[in-house]
Amino acid sequence: MAPRTAAASRAGTVRTQANPLRAGLRLEKVPEPACIVVFGATGDLTHRKILPALYNLRRVGLLPAETTVLGFARRPYTDEQFRADLKESVVAHSRVPVQEAIWDDFAAGIFYQQGEFHDPDAYQALSRRLDELSVARGTRDNRLFYLATPPSLGPTIIDHLGRASLDVEGRGHGWSRVVVEKPFGRDLESARQLNRDVQRVFRESQIYRIDHYLGKETVRNLLVFRFGNGIFEPIWNRRYVDHVQITVAESLGVEGRGPFYEEAGASRDILQNHMLQLLSLVAMEPPIAFAADDLRNEKLRVLRAIDCDWTDERIARDVVRGQYGPGWVGGKAVPGYREEPEVAKDSTTETFVALKLEVQNWRWADVPFYLRTGKRLAKTATEISVQFKQPPLALFKELRADPEPNLLALRIQPDEGILLRFVAKVPGLGLDVRSVNMDFTYGSSFVSDAPEAYETLLLDAMLGDASLFTRGDEVEAAWGVVSPIDSAWEALDQGGHPPGFPNYAAGSWGPEEADRLVARDGRRWRRL
Ligand code: BG6
């Protein structure tokens, strides 16, 4: 997806791949040289995702040689120590083995700046360092500020960037952009406040709110699938679609992130962002162009059409929360959530949520969207399935059971691909029918490796293409869907009605109530 915006095309130079077949005939653009300032440079995200992504972009020639990385954090480090540390992480986390010569070349552009996030002088020093590096490395004063810090530091850093005039663009300066990681706020109110804080310093066009699901190859393909083919769009509506299911299942637990997860829970961690983004891509109208605001306008319209009138009765009926107890995953006994390190013994944080949503617009009225996500489920799988209505007349009356309805499953990960289920006659003299699958898998159809989501997103941010980033109003609309549910749960817990947790065993498919949620409507979750 994401043919670049006009602005991005101007900014980038077009580079044809040596072998267009390998690259799937894509014309890749190389951004202008820039300095990427990573706040929280010694943290996990920098080491596991950001630097491996930058290294890989450099490796395939999608970042110019002048590209510079300036890590900013509290710890005292020299440039050399920082480089050595990063090398270890990149070796451990890069999707392809690290090549010494390419690393050395890339690492020569990595620097470190020690500073306290609250100290105005640190930003003056940062500004001077950026000026020096711009001259020494030829980064033309272009700067990408990446906030890879705990969310609570975001407003402070942004405020100081503004005070040090690091947001300024043009008039002898290059461009200046800021990348803000999720979670963007913890409810509607805090997201609004955070938007105000960021927008006080940066214009919306300079702000890149990351949701890494949007950078996944299969998620980007969703729009190509819908709008690049003529045959699906005419049936993509309430006349033909019975319901839609979106599953983001993880067999992993909270992986040492107890304190973070205690604050977040499945609703804030996955539902508010990754899942609602998937839903908006599935349900949106065709945009008038593949430009950032056209796409985001359409996604916003979907989010605004979701019925957010959450009464307590409706929450009790249409939303299920769960928390895993001990169980077995992949043949290994695993502890329950409450036994995880730094998790309260009586925690009411949900590690599972399933719900039924309605998108109340012309296209989708009365088509339920069932969403479920959870940790420590039987399997790791993200899938969107669109189930179609049965044919209007059951002609094959002598069959023992109704044939299964047509289904289109978009496998986001793993085993990325698209499956279409339809009914076929079983060979033989009688008339027996059975569901069969037509299955496309990326692995066997394309020879090129898919980039990591962070590679795509970092490249886009440097090119100035915000198509795959969420806009301020979109984030708020998504909080508008989940905040009332989170608040109702909090009120119940505090009012002496805590949920009966744990209510599902690790390694299962979640609480039984989740099955009842769909069974009540005569449907069932697709087996993954
Ligand atoms: C993150 C969540 O945003 O997404 C994690 O904070 C989750 O809890 C992760 O595990 C899932 O991402 P992916 O790319 O592995 O599906």
Side-chain angles (χ1 to χ4, degrees), residues 182 212-213 216 250 257 269-270 274 375 413:
K182 75 171 262 278
H212 79 279
Y213 264 55
K216 286 183 189 276
E250 294 182 279
R257 295 195 305 157
D269 188 35
I270 303 272
H274 305 329
K375 299 259 182 216
Q413 62 187 25

Side-chain angles (χ1 to χ4, degrees), residues 236-238 279-280 283-285 298-307 358-367 369:
W236 210 257
N237 56 50
R238 65 191 302 278
L279 186 151
S280 27
M284 69 189 261
E285 295 300 316
E298 295 306 336
K299 287 197 291 159
L300 176 66
R301 278 152 54 105
V302 173
L303 293 168
R304 289 183 48 206
I306 294 177
D307 180 6
E358 281 168 33
V359 179
Q360 291 183 330
N361 63 16
W362 204 256
R363 185 188 283 256
W364 295 114
D366 298 328
V367 177
F369 285 72

Side-chain angles (χ1 to χ4, degrees), residues 49 181-183 211-213 216 248-250 252-255 257 260-261 264-266 268-270 273-274 375 380-382 412-413 452-454:
K49 297 288 184 192
E181 264 291 336
K182 75 171 262 278
D211 180 321
H212 79 279
Y213 264 55
K216 286 183 189 276
V248 177
E250 294 182 279
L252 291 177
V254 289
E255 307 304 299
R257 295 195 305 157
F260 160 77
Y261 204 81
R268 293 184 172 96
D269 188 35
I270 303 272
N273 35 77
H274 305 329
K375 299 259 182 216
T380 293
T382 297
I412 305 296
Q413 62 187 25
E452 274 278 321
Y454 275 88

Side-chain angles (χ1 to χ4, degrees), residues 31-331:
E32 288 180 353
C35 184
I36 302 147
V37 181
V38 186
F39 290 98
T42 53
D44 206 45
L45 184 70
T46 307
H47 284 251
R48 294 170 74 95
K49 297 288 184 192
I50 302 174
L51 261 294
L54 290 173
Y55 166 77
N56 275 303
L57 287 172
R58 180 73 197 108
R59 177 180 65 82
V60 295
L62 286 174
L63 289 184
E66 297 91 335
T67 303
T68 302
V69 176
L70 178 59
F72 182 105
R74 295 188 195 108
R75 275 187 229 171
Y77 261 128
T78 62
D79 291 340
E80 285 69 32
Q81 282 168 332
F82 185 51
R83 286 175 195 151
D85 238 35
L86 287 179
K87 184 175 182 189
E88 249 177 61
S89 315
V90 174
V91 167
H93 299 292
S94 166
R95 66 185 166 89
V96 292
V98 169
Q99 294 169 25
E100 287 294 325
I102 300 177
W103 171 261
D104 290 345
D105 176 51
F106 174 63
I110 298 179
F111 303 88
Y112 186 77
Q113 177 82 18
Q114 185 198 359
E116 291 291 332
F117 297 111
H118 294 87
D119 176 13
D121 292 343
Y123 295 83
Q124 293 303 332
L126 173 66
S127 177
R128 286 193 296 274
R129 189 89 189 268
L130 281 169
D131 288 344
E132 283 161 25
L133 286 173
S134 181
V135 175
R137 304 263 319 154
T139 53
R140 303 189 209 164
D141 210 23
N142 294 324
R143 304 157 233 141
L144 184 75
F145 297 105
Y146 200 121
L147 305 192
T149 50
S152 57
L153 286 171
T156 306
I157 296 172
I158 285 166
D159 182 52
H160 283 298
L161 288 175
R163 287 169 195 265
S165 302
L166 288 167
D167 58 308
V168 176
E169 297 186 308
R171 286 178 281 126
H173 296 279
W175 50 256
S176 173
R177 299 178 191 140
V178 63
V179 180
V180 187
E181 264 291 336
K182 75 171 262 278
F184 197 86
R186 73 177 314 273
D187 54 21
L188 179 55
E189 248 337 287
S190 57
R192 280 189 179 140
Q193 183 57 47
L194 186 53
N195 268 334
R196 282 195 290 270
D197 290 341
V198 189
Q199 287 163 347
R200 207 171 18 239
V201 176
F202 290 94
R203 278 174 292 112
E204 181 62 37
S205 60
Q206 295 175 284
I207 306 168
Y208 291 73
R209 295 174 195 77
I210 270 209
D211 180 321
H212 79 279
Y213 264 55
L214 292 179
K216 286 183 189 276
E217 200 64 20
T218 39
V219 175
R220 298 170 71 202
N221 186 48
L222 245 163
L223 293 183
V224 175
F225 177 82
R226 284 195 57 197
F227 305 127
N229 293 298
I231 60 172
F232 299 111
E233 211 38 37
I235 54 168
W236 210 257
N237 56 50
R238 65 191 302 278
R239 268 188 82 181
Y240 299 98
V241 175
D242 176 74
H243 74 277
V244 177
Q245 294 186 11
I246 303 179
T247 299
V248 177
E250 294 182 279
S251 60
L252 291 177
V254 289
E255 307 304 299
R257 295 195 305 157
F260 160 77
Y261 204 81
E262 279 283 87
E263 284 292 305
S267 160
R268 293 184 172 96
D269 188 35
I270 303 272
L271 174 64
Q272 185 272 342
N273 35 77
H274 305 329
M275 294 196 89
L276 288 183
Q277 284 297 323
L278 293 180
L279 186 151
S280 27
L281 292 173
V282 171
M284 69 189 261
E285 295 300 316
I288 52 170
F290 263 67
D293 273 332
D294 297 317
L295 284 164
R296 300 189 296 182
N297 287 344
E298 295 306 336
K299 287 197 291 159
L300 176 66
R301 278 152 54 105
V302 173
L303 293 168
R304 289 183 48 206
I306 294 177
D307 180 6
C308 295
D309 192 6
W310 291 110
T311 58
D312 288 349
E313 296 68 38
R314 183 171 159 222
I315 292 175
R317 191 187 64 226
D318 288 350
V319 191
V320 174
R321 56 173 164 162
Q323 186 193 78
Y324 62 87
W328 292 80
V329 172

